[in-house]
Amino acid sequence: MVFIQISISQKILIVKLENDLDHHVANEIKDEIDRQIMTSKTESIIFDFEKVKFMDSSGIGLISGRISVLDAQKESNNIIKNKNISSSNDIAIINLDKRLTTMMRISGLDKIVNFFDDLESAMSALRKNKHSD
Amino acid sequence: MQESKKNNEKSDIKKNKKNKKIINSVVIAVDSISSNESFVRVAISAFIASLNPTVDELNDVKTAVSEAVTNAIIHGYEDRDIGKIFITCKIKNNEITIEVRDCGTGIDDIATAMTPMYTSKPDQERSGIGFTVMETFMDKVVVKSQKNLGTKIIMTKKFFTGY
Ligand SMILES: Nc1ncnc2c1ncn2[C@@H]1O[C@H](COP(=O)(O)OP(=O)(O)O)[C@@H](O)[C@H]1O
Ligand SMILES: [Mg+2]
């Protein structure tokens, strides 16, 4: 079964999640995402939930885990000038349904990452983000 | 042939016409292996399908069950010992009761464990909202636990539409 599709455009990693996102699947895919973050010198990530049929709190852990990986990578590359600024601002989430939105709210993730309706608006927001850095 | 099959199906669900009671139950025992998380979700979904839950109601139950089974695997059996997880689902009219039990480490302080965003395993990318998710999507969640003996989660939910 396919769980993710990854592509990269202008240092923005686009992760399309598919099917069921639980603890088992999260463990299977996180290394693959991290490998991509490192090899492609990713600066921001878009998580696309359009094809996700099910998610439990392991999906939340997957996203916050990638924020930490992005933080660590930027720190080691000295990209972060101010250590207090987290990479959460470089994370965008698109295509969330009502249930997934509830999960984001329960976890508090809704306060630190950005949500968009579609890929285009997420891309342009993340790009703008970079220019104003 | 067709007829007898129909009759069989009817007797599968004990239906006392006088009180219009539907009573049914299932017990599932699985090893604490993460690939069983999806199996239990599918099995429970199939079992409660007779109540005609809405898509939302079904997803509520699947999410809560997934949280409890995952907890048994990663906390109860600490992701290394293979132990048994027992899942019981009871249907009584339009109400379901699901119990998820492990014979693992047990919980020291249940109140702390149930606090939103508390996790004992932040290093394993746990978000600490499993219990909050169960409480959000089910009507009632009760946790019973004893150190070194195990943990039992009892969750109930009433279905309204479709029933
Ligand atoms: N079956 C269990 N056995 C032992 N400890 C548990 C069990 N379920 C939950 N816990 C404890 O309760 C805490 C909170 O659980 P939960 O809300 O699901 O968050 P998470 O799983 O993300 O840590 C866990 O970190 C763990 O310490
Ligand atoms: Mg949990």
Side-chain angles (χ1 to χ4, degrees), chain A residues 40-57:
Chain A
S40 63
K41 301 199 171 61
T42 296
E43 286 179 3
S44 356
I45 307 175
I46 298 173
F47 288 100
D48 185 350
F49 279 83
E50 190 189 0
K51 299 221 167 97
V52 173
K53 297 204 184 90
F54 171 87
M55 185 186 91
D56 65 20
S57 69

Side-chain angles (χ1 to χ4, degrees), chain B residues 20 36 48 59 66 70 73-74 82 92 120 122 131 143 154:
Chain B
K20 284 198 170 147
N36 282 332
I48 62 176
N59 278 326
S66 200
T70 302
I73 295 171
I74 57 181
I82 304 292
K92 195 176 168 200
S120 53
F131 279 124
V143 180
I154 306 146

Side-chain angles (χ1 to χ4, degrees), chain B residues 52-78:
Chain B
N52 294 320
T54 61
V55 174
D56 263 343
E57 287 170 333
L58 195 60
N59 278 326
D60 287 349
V61 174
K62 281 169 82 171
T63 312
V65 167
S66 200
E67 296 292 350
V69 172
T70 302
N71 279 354
I73 295 171
I74 57 181
H75 303 302
Y77 296 116
E78 301 202 273

Side-chain angles (χ1 to χ4, degrees), chain A residues 108-126:
Chain A
L109 218 52
D110 62 335
K111 294 201 188 71
I112 60 167
V113 302
N114 307 292
F115 299 86
F116 299 95
D117 292 333
D118 52 54
L119 192 62
E120 289 70 41
S121 38
M123 293 280 282
S124 71
L126 289 178

Side-chain angles (χ1 to χ4, degrees), chain A residues 15-75:
Chain A
V15 181
K16 292 192 179 184
L17 302 151
E18 296 186 2
N19 299 309
D20 288 13
L21 180 46
D22 62 8
H23 156 250
H24 179 74
V25 172
N27 270 350
E28 300 251 300
I29 63 180
K30 70 175 187 200
D31 291 341
E32 198 177 332
I33 299 173
D34 290 349
R35 211 167 27 243
Q36 288 291 336
I37 292 176
M38 283 176 250
T39 54
S40 63
K41 301 199 171 61
T42 296
E43 286 179 3
S44 356
I45 307 175
I46 298 173
F47 288 100
D48 185 350
F49 279 83
E50 190 189 0
K51 299 221 167 97
V52 173
K53 297 204 184 90
F54 171 87
M55 185 186 91
D56 65 20
S57 69
S58 307
I60 302 293
L62 181 78
I63 295 170
S64 44
R66 305 295 69 69
I67 297 175
S68 313
V69 171
L70 221 49
D71 277 343
Q73 164 149 307
K74 285 178 187 174
E75 208 180 306

